[in-house]
Structure formats: structure tokens, C-alpha cells
Amino acid sequence: MGKTYERIDGRLRTFIEAQPMFFTATAPLAGDGTVNLSPKGLRGSFAVLDERTVAYLDFAGSNAETIAHLRENGRITLMWCAFSGPPNIVRVHGRGEPVFRDDPRWPDLLRHFPDIDSSSHGLRAIIVVHATLIRDTCGYAVPLMTYDADRDLHGRRFAREDDASLSAYFAGKEHVATSIDGLPGLPLPLPPTPAG
């Protein structure tokens, strides 16, 4: 039923790029640490960079577990499910890293997301994932559901923030600068948004 792939291309790439949402899973090294599973959405916030590298935009939120886990150990799994059409589940297991605004790679990476107005979502990092294992499985038990549209609430909420107010917002959240388990999370204050 399942198949392992050497690269993200062809039918596999078409499938993951067509999905309106995906999930990320990370965990700290500590055996009693908190495993994190997060849904990710907004069309245009995910990109295939090459046959074994993907990236997504990490927007403002109430915690930074994924960033903290990646900073500690780099392990991440991304998963897409077919909620319509033929059943399918695709997982990309790999090594990830958060690229922050002051990283020299930032401008080039941001060009991979032309359909997202990053200024309206409190963009704090770009997560880059290098695949070590790419697999799909049947997905026969995944329910059929209809995608209506992206919610506009996130953009409406964070469009009113500038760099200073966004940093203040994050500083007021318990699990942004440090994870639930006390790992370093998002570096604060945020580096300024690069011009242009």
C-alpha cells in the first residue's frame, strides 16, 4: 500500500501543492517532553524548493513549539491528507530549521511565496525542511470533506501589527520565547522585517 519516493516531483508534488492544509509534528529530545502537532493552512504559504527541500511560512501564533524543537534537534515530519478526490496520505520526514528575518537567506526564500502578503500575518520565520524519507500511504479511512475557503481572521488580526508591537505581543505570550518544556523558542525581540 505505501511507497517510498526518492524525490518530491511529478504526481507527488502536484498532490501536496494542491492541498489547502498540512500538519507538522515535532518533539524535544527529552523522553518526557511535549510532542507538538500543528495544522498549517493559508494557500500559498507552502513551497517546494527542490526535489528534496520544502519550506513554509511560520506566522504569528500563541506558541513556538515547532521552532523550539527544530532549534534543539531539527527533527520534523510534515503530513498531507486527501480530504477530497482519491485517498492519499503523504509524509515528508526530515531535518528542519527556522530561518529568521536577519538570516541572509531570508529574501531569496521569501520569493518562493508570491501569493502571500507576508506583512499581514506577522511572519516570524520561514521553516525549511530537507527530506530524509518521503512516503505515501492509502488514506482509506480519511473522511471526505469539502474545502470552502481560507479563513481571513489571521490576516485581519495581525495586519495591524508592526515589528515593535508584534515583538511586544510575543513577549506577552508564555510559550513563544521558550517552549512548554523550557527550550529556547522564538528569539525576541524580533529582528526587523527586511526592506523590499
Side-chain angles (χ1 to χ4, degrees), residues 89-146:
I89 298 171
V90 173
R91 290 180 182 86
V92 171
H93 306 266
R95 308 293 298 177
E97 65 171 315
V99 175
F100 300 114
R101 297 172 176 182
D102 55 352
D103 189 299
R105 297 172 292 171
W106 181 272
D108 287 335
L109 285 170
L110 197 55
R111 288 187 187 96
H112 290 276
F113 307 94
D115 298 330
I116 288 282
D117 177 4
S118 58
S119 66
S120 66
H121 292 283
L123 181 59
R124 57 190 190 178
I126 300 171
I127 306 299
V128 177
V129 178
H130 304 281
T132 56
L133 178 64
I134 306 161
R135 289 193 44 83
D136 71 357
T137 53
C138 68
Y140 290 169
V142 174
L144 289 169
M145 295 189 288
T146 303

Side-chain angles (χ1 to χ4, degrees), residues 32-50:
D32 61 350
T34 305
V35 175
N36 187 64
L37 177 63
S38 295
K40 302 294 179 184
L42 296 180
R43 288 220 185 247
S45 65
F46 172 84
V48 176
L49 305 185
D50 64 38

Side-chain angles (χ1 to χ4, degrees), residues 149-190:
D150 285 342
R151 295 178 194 262
D152 66 353
L153 297 172
H154 193 273
R156 287 184 11 226
R157 163 60 187 90
F158 289 100
R160 63 182 183 248
E161 305 286 355
D162 60 17
D163 288 348
S165 66
L166 195 59
S167 282
Y169 169 82
F170 291 143
K173 295 293 181 184
E174 186 178 4
H175 297 299
V176 172
T178 58
S179 74
I180 292 170
D181 300 311
L183 297 172
L186 189 67
L188 295 176
L190 287 177

